[in-house]
Amino acid sequence: MPAVERIAVIGSGTMGSGIAQVSAASGIETILIDTGKAQLEKARNTIDTSLQRMAKKGAITEAQGIETAKRISFTIDITDAEDADLVIEAVFEREDVKREIWQKVDALCKPEAMFASNTSSISITAIAAATKRPELFIGMHFFNPVPVMKLVEVIRGNKTSDATCAKIVQLAKEMGKSPVEVKDYPGFVSNRVLMPLINEAIFAVYEGVATAESVDEVFKLGMAHPMGPLTLADFIGLDVCLNIMEVLQTGFGDPKYRPCPLLKQMVAAGKLGRKSGEGFYKYQG
Ligand code: 3HC
């Protein structure tokens, strides 16, 4: 028996559209929800491009790509989530915004529906507390690009039940992913380790130890990273990196997590990485 039959994904940005794609690719009826039609249209194009790219590489057949696309419906009406067995939220990283959405979703979904947040660092326990079903609430942290990256970090909140965790682990496997279970502490495992690495790489540039290009070369050639830490920071978004460093600093109360002043300054200047056209590197198109 499949873990779930119907998934609603809230938030159609890079992560939400990727999650909807892998959900539909594993045979699940998927609803992608956002507040604006333009955002949903962009998500549809992103998904189509990704599926075409996979078909071209022979990773899937063209027919599979078409079937996957057909399984996704796009809507601006959040009440369309009411029949979902699982709701996955992938909206931007603000606890108050997430809590407000979850309160709404909690009121309209069936009582046995499970809830998952794709938050990169906000406490699952804190978000789950906005609902009346914290035992059915869990973290499902996907990685960008979602269709490619194998990991799903499965985060158990303080009240997440064993049954919820087992179902989500099963679901992640059905999506072709490799789930890794972790507990609910700031940054979980992935961003607790990755972000201080990126932040330290930024300090190296800030202090004039090396250029961004040289720092990246060290990691690509010396540690076989597919992208150096500054290319990766641009890929993730410098605002997201700063936000996660702040969550780590506040959550642990330890000054070792202070964000580099250069990171703060670049974000203040609107240099957010790929999405804004400039970060540590310049991007066109
Ligand atoms: N959809 C489908 N397939 C895609 C894709 C997409 N969006 N993006 C890339 N691919 C496929 C390509 O078709 C290609 O397939 P192939 O191996 O069969 O030929 C493969 O992925 C590699 O892509 P490219 O050849 O275009 O380019 P690269 O070899 O440079 O790989 C990359 C691109 C996969 C992004 C690689 O650079 C990489 O792994 N980078 C690191 C990514 C990473 O660390 N992500 C995690 C970020 S942290 C995060 O998300 C957590 C958050 O909380 C911050």
Side-chain angles (χ1 to χ4, degrees):
M1 212 174 101
V4 297
E5 285 174 358
R6 207 166 292 120
I7 290 183
V9 179
I10 302 178
S12 67
T14 308
M15 299 307 287
S17 56
I19 295 166
Q21 181 182 330
V22 296
S23 163
S26 65
I28 298 167
E29 287 305 321
T30 305
I31 306 165
L32 187 52
I33 304 169
D34 211 320
T35 49
K37 287 195 175 149
Q39 176 59 264
L40 287 172
E41 208 38 52
K42 198 172 158 207
R44 190 197 296 271
N45 288 335
T46 305
I47 293 168
D48 286 346
T49 307
S50 173
L51 290 170
Q52 280 159 17
R53 187 172 178 175
M54 291 170 89
K56 226 181 199 171
K57 296 263 178 185
I60 56 169
T61 63
E62 244 174 65
Q64 281 171 325
I66 292 165
E67 282 307 308
T68 297
K70 269 198 210 156
R71 263 183 229 114
I72 308 174
S73 47
F74 299 82
T75 177
I76 53 168
D77 184 358
I78 198 165
T79 64
D80 287 341
E82 65 185 353
D83 291 329
D85 304 313
L86 169 68
V87 180
I88 305 177
E89 164 270 311
V91 305
F92 57 93
E93 291 289 274
R94 275 216 0 229
E95 192 176 323
D96 55 338
V97 174
K98 288 182 189 283
R99 286 176 65 95
E100 200 185 316
I101 289 171
W102 279 118
Q103 271 163 3
K104 260 191 217 158
V105 174
D106 194 29
L108 67 90
C109 282
K110 52 191 180 186
E112 68 276 21
M114 295 182 293
F115 292 168
S117 177
N118 177 58
T119 180
S120 53
S121 60
I122 298 173
S123 163
I124 293 300
T125 308
I127 310 171
T131 73
K132 295 193 177 79
R133 58 181 99 189
E135 69 288 352
L136 291 170
F137 203 107
I138 200 158
M140 255 188 123
H141 184 202
F142 290 82
F143 290 79
N144 186 18
V146 179
V148 178
M149 305 307 282
K150 285 285 170 204
L151 177 65
V152 176
E153 210 175 20
V154 174
I155 304 117
R156 291 183 75 125
N158 186 277
K159 292 186 175 169
T160 309
S161 72
D162 290 345
T164 301
C165 197
K167 272 200 188 152
I168 294 300
V169 163
Q170 184 193 335
L171 169 68
K173 288 180 184 164
E174 286 167 4
M175 287 175 164
K177 302 294 179 197
S178 302
V180 175
E181 276 180 59
V182 305
K183 290 191 183 139
D184 185 24
Y185 288 99
F188 319 128
V189 171
S190 55
N191 281 324
R192 179 178 181 162
V193 178
L194 174 64
M195 285 305 155
L197 166 73
I198 287 176
N199 195 45
E200 203 57 35
I202 300 172
F203 266 111
V205 175
Y206 174 63
E207 291 167 8
V209 178
T211 61
E213 288 83 354
S214 298
V215 172
D216 278 348
E217 285 294 286
V218 167
F219 280 84
K220 280 199 291 182
L221 302 179
M223 291 85 182
H225 287 200
M227 290 174 166
L230 300 165
T231 304
L232 183 57
D234 277 0
F235 183 65
I236 292 168
L238 300 190
D239 51 341
V240 175
C241 295
L242 175 59
N243 179 266
I244 296 171
M245 285 310 296
E246 287 167 348
V247 169
L248 292 173
Q249 192 181 27
T250 309
F252 289 113
D254 187 330
K256 78 176 175 182
Y257 296 110
R258 80 259 175 261
C260 178
L262 176 59
L263 174 62
K264 287 186 179 173
Q265 191 186 69
M266 289 175 76
V267 172
K271 294 181 180 172
L272 307 182
R274 275 195 200 198
K275 63 185 164 191
S276 71
E278 187 176 353
F280 288 97
Y281 300 93
K282 288 201 165 112
Y283 303 88
Q284 277 171 357

